[in-house]
Amino acid sequence: AQSVTQLGSHVSVSEGALVLLRCNYSSSVPPYLFWYVQYPNQGLQLLLKYTSAATLVKGINGFEAEFKKSETSFHLTKPSAHMSDAAEYFCAVSDGPNAGNMLTFGGGTRLMVKP
Amino acid sequence: NAGVTQTPKFQVLKTGQSMTLQCAQDMNHNSMYWYRQDPGMGLRLIYYSASEGTTDKGEVPNGYNVSRLNKREFSLRLESAAPSQTSVYFCASSQRGLAGTDTQYFGPGTRLTVL
């Protein structure tokens, strides 16, 4: 069984500061990992995904994440927060296409950006 | 392209009432999914359809039924609504490509309240 843990249900940063959202996973198969963002009253949008190619993955809006197998982590970072980054962020792990491409989500981290 | 559309956007039901949530996608995707989102729990998979004509249970299927009407449409039915089904429901679709690289595309959600 696979699972995802996101440390910190709420993270607050100042505008211009580093954003770090933590995600740890467990999976019995090589994982495929995703970060999604949800803006208020909207559906989820894909930020980036790791599919066993480069361990440092760049996504939209200046976000990136690094896959660290030894730490079973896939933390999301952005060098400089912008007010428009305020949203809820979800880390997810997939069991891959041969098992139905099921996504298991973490509980989410709400990012608040202070002026 | 409209992407993934869901109707209705909001719904209030009384305990014991039934209703069907509709979902359609215009991306010619093979797979479709229904999730529910509850605070602090991320998204949990209710049912999914890997391809037209097939449906399978996800993590939390009790109290729900689904129909994959055709390749475009995937509906979720609550036969006898309960307050525990108060949630935000998201439909998603994916192409089911190779190597687990599927991106799931989400609809805007249906906010359901059961009194």
Side-chain angles (χ1 to χ4, degrees):
Chain A
Q2 52 196 6
S3 65
V4 176
T5 301
Q6 291 183 239
L7 293 176
S9 58
H10 292 80
V11 170
S12 180
V13 301
S14 297
E15 191 173 19
L18 172 71
V19 175
L20 171 60
L21 304 182
R22 299 179 186 273
C23 172
N24 289 89
Y25 70 91
S26 68
S27 177
S28 58
V29 297
Y32 301 95
L33 296 159
F34 303 77
W35 275 99
Y36 282 85
V37 61
Q38 184 181 30
Y39 298 103
N41 299 313
Q42 295 186 26
L44 279 69
Q45 303 173 32
L46 182 70
L47 268 180
L48 50 81
K49 61 185 178 183
Y50 166 76
T51 57
S52 74
T55 56
L56 183 62
V57 182
K58 295 187 183 298
I60 61 172
N61 301 338
F63 283 92
E64 62 182 35
E66 186 172 9
F67 171 67
K68 292 187 176 181
K69 184 178 180 179
S70 61
E71 299 178 7
T72 61
S73 69
F74 190 57
H75 302 330
L76 182 70
T77 61
K78 181 174 181 178
S80 177
H82 192 274
M83 296 296 291
S84 61
D85 294 327
E88 190 155 21
Y89 293 79
F90 293 93
C91 182
V93 60
S94 167
D95 59 2
N98 294 327
N101 194 40
M102 312 286 285
L103 276 180
T104 299
F105 285 86
T109 297
R110 186 169 298 278
L111 176 65
M112 295 167 283
V113 182
K114 299 176 290 186
Chain B
N1 283 355
V4 180
T5 57
Q6 294 182 235
T7 56
K9 290 186 178 180
F10 302 93
Q11 184 71 49
V12 179
L13 293 177
K14 295 180 180 179
T15 297
Q17 288 185 317
S18 62
M19 79 160 295
T20 300
L21 281 64
Q22 305 287 353
C23 174
Q25 52 90 10
D26 62 1
M27 296 174 282
N28 201 36
H29 284 170
N30 293 310
S31 299
M32 297 185 74
Y33 311 82
W34 275 106
Y35 293 91
R36 61 176 289 171
Q37 182 181 28
D38 302 292
M41 303 187 73
L43 278 75
R44 292 179 293 168
L45 185 66
I46 304 171
Y47 271 94
Y48 70 101
S49 171
S51 61
E52 186 179 355
T54 68
T55 60
D56 286 285
K57 295 179 180 179
E59 181 184 355
V60 289
N62 291 345
Y64 305 95
N65 286 300
V66 291
S67 295
R68 183 75 183 266
L69 304 171
N70 47 55
K71 191 171 186 179
R72 291 187 63 249
E73 299 172 289
F74 189 39
S75 63
L76 178 72
R77 183 162 179 82
L78 286 69
E79 291 291 350
S80 179
S84 61
Q85 295 177 305
T86 294
S87 188
V88 182
Y89 291 85
F90 288 98
C91 178
S93 70
S94 70
Q95 181 58 38
R96 291 227 50 202
L98 299 175
T101 60
D102 275 5
T103 294
Q104 292 190 16
Y105 294 84
F106 286 79
T110 295
R111 190 173 297 270
L112 176 66
T113 301
V114 183
L115 303 175

